[in-house]
Amino acid sequence: MKMSRFVCACAAALAASTCASLTAATINGSTPYLNGANIPWNAFGTDFGGGSYSATWWNTAFANLHSGGVNAARIWLHCDGRATPTFNSNGDVTGISSTLVPNLQNMLTEAANNGIHVYLSLWSFDLFNNNHASLVTNTQYTTDYINNALIPICKGLKGYSALAAIEIINEPEWGISQTPNTTTQSCTLAQMQAFIKSLTSAIHSNLSGVNVTVGSASVKWDTANGKDGTVGDWYANLGLNHRDVHYYSWMVGSGYNYNPLASGHTPAYYGWTVPAVVGEFAAMSTTPYTSPLQMMSSANNNGFAGHMPWSYGGVDNNGDFADFEGAAETFNSTPTYVPTLRYDFEGSTISWAVESGSAALSSSTSEHYTGSDSLKVSFTSNSGSNIVGVAPSSSPAGRFITFWLWVPSQSALNGVEAYCEYGSSWTWTSGAWLSNASLAQGAWNEINLIAPAGQTIDQIGLLIEFSSSYTGSFYVDSVTY
């Protein structure tokens, strides 16, 4: 059998999911599932009330999103405070410009005309890099912002049906001293919590029917159940209507798994009693996922109330609308991806074989992801690349293939990848290469790839590569597509 020697690897822990329809989870009674996008700005910090508002730009953006099946947009307002609200020389808020509310009103009108629900983010952690920490640390300054800016904004936005949610602050963790913070200024966790709670209360008192949330950088700081290396729930009992967490590939590996897209990582898994949205994730493939559609479907399957790729305009290196437009269109028509369990290894190796390298395969009860058995892959003084796979009994062409791999600690592992082969020349296609450092040790990891559509898939499986001699066992379980 011909095999290419393409080296790579992949993983990140999770549990079997239950599927949710597009309307199964919403952030409030009148807002559908958010098949959304982060715009998040045309001109950072000056779009609204800062002199850079362009109705034409926003209308075009909303029209493009709508044509791509997107129904929601996360949009930033003050950002770091460079243009709004108005500050005095002491850094205290004295008001807002005369154009801020009209700009927002026009934007919301354009959004409504294009069927877009707006998710308005007031602040970002960037305020700590622009000398505005006192807005959070000084309670009088917080009160002045509420009275002189936030309440006038809320009153001006009453009756604008496109406004679905207000986010107090984007990724506040980077400005909190306990994180540790990455900003030039910082605040304590207690100060940030007081700031969030005060603004949330003011919004609830002055603008009904709009959800309030916080755009948390990671579930690391959003659950008190101690799972996956998380450190605590920083946003409990602050009056938030729903949760918003972000996901990027750095959030898996080395004993932690801050991944809300992982199968089974539902809002209930994190102990939340309110809906939740995945407010940011890369607009293109990111470990361990091979496409934005897979991430969208994973959020929906997990019972989240929406997802929002980053970003429409490609404001950094995480992709742009061209990278996720097709996925958004497909999701809009077929929101739920329902994988079928193909290989569970209950009492049998189910025709799996060592295709390259040296290992012994057996069915084992020592570890299992589901059921009671898994495929045990035993190595003896093994180094280099090893391939275990199977000729699939049912074609996975065009489908997401998921493998669960249990990775032992101290394994001399270099990396792992999922693969498939097709055609007379055994063309090799692989998922993301995941290094040992990106995998959870002594735990189950999810390995993914998308099999090419329109092909006869001859083999699927996993490549496991060691950097030095290794004796021990890995386990494979719950292969779905």
Side-chain angles (χ1 to χ4, degrees), residues 368-422:
H368 50 86
Y369 184 68
T370 57
S372 59
D373 294 42
S374 66
L375 179 69
K376 184 178 182 179
V377 186
S378 301
F379 300 100
T380 302
S381 300
N382 191 286
S383 61
S385 297
N386 303 269
I387 297 172
V388 295
V390 68
S393 57
S394 177
S395 176
R399 296 184 68 83
F400 299 125
I401 308 176
T402 296
F403 306 80
W404 285 97
L405 180 68
W406 191 88
V407 177
S409 301
Q410 309 299 321
S411 62
L413 180 68
N414 185 38
V416 182
E417 72 179 359
Y419 77 92
C420 68
E421 291 183 302
Y422 62 91

Side-chain angles (χ1 to χ4, degrees), residues 35-37 62 65-73 114-116 321 324 328 332:
N35 180 20
F62 291 144
L65 292 174
H66 178 74
S67 68
V70 174
N71 69 359
N114 288 281
I116 300 296
F321 188 43
F324 70 89
N332 190 49

Side-chain angles (χ1 to χ4, degrees), residues 266-464:
T266 65
Y269 175 87
Y270 295 117
W272 303 330
T273 58
V274 295
V277 171
V278 183
E280 285 186 24
F281 59 90
M284 52 191 182
S285 61
T286 185
T287 302
Y289 302 104
T290 50
S291 79
L293 179 58
Q294 187 181 14
M295 291 183 275
M296 295 173 182
S297 296
S298 294
N300 183 58
N301 288 353
N302 274 357
F304 280 80
H307 60 256
M308 295 186 168
W310 180 277
S311 62
Y312 170 79
V315 298
D316 54 25
N317 61 357
N318 285 295
D320 60 20
F321 188 43
D323 291 303
F324 70 89
E325 180 178 9
E329 287 186 272
T330 300
F331 179 88
N332 190 49
S333 60
T334 311
T336 302
Y337 166 65
V338 185
T340 299
L341 178 63
R342 306 290 180 173
Y343 300 98
D344 60 4
F345 307 105
E346 295 300 302
S348 170
T349 60
I350 320 179
S351 300
W352 278 59
V354 178
E355 306 296 341
S356 180
S358 175
L361 304 184
S362 61
S363 178
S364 172
T365 59
S366 297
E367 300 290 345
H368 50 86
Y369 184 68
T370 57
S372 59
D373 294 42
S374 66
L375 179 69
K376 184 178 182 179
V377 186
S378 301
F379 300 100
T380 302
S381 300
N382 191 286
S383 61
S385 297
N386 303 269
I387 297 172
V388 295
V390 68
S393 57
S394 177
S395 176
R399 296 184 68 83
F400 299 125
I401 308 176
T402 296
F403 306 80
W404 285 97
L405 180 68
W406 191 88
V407 177
S409 301
Q410 309 299 321
S411 62
L413 180 68
N414 185 38
V416 182
E417 72 179 359
Y419 77 92
C420 68
E421 291 183 302
Y422 62 91
S424 59
S425 61
W426 292 91
T427 301
W428 176 284
T429 296
S430 62
W433 167 258
L434 292 185
S435 67
N436 188 40
S438 68
L439 302 173
Q441 307 294 305
W444 288 98
N445 293 264
E446 181 186 21
I447 320 297
N448 300 292
L449 84 156
I450 297 178
Q455 301 290 340
T456 299
I457 308 301
D458 297 300
Q459 190 174 92
I460 63 173
L462 295 170
L463 181 151
I464 303 171

Side-chain angles (χ1 to χ4, degrees), residues 3 57 85 90 93-94 96 102-103 121 189 253 267-268 285 296 333 349 383 442 468:
M3 301 275 183
W57 189 91
N90 295 322
V93 174
T94 59
I96 55 177
N103 288 167
S121 182
L189 174 58
S285 61
M296 295 173 182
S333 60
T349 60
S383 61
S468 60

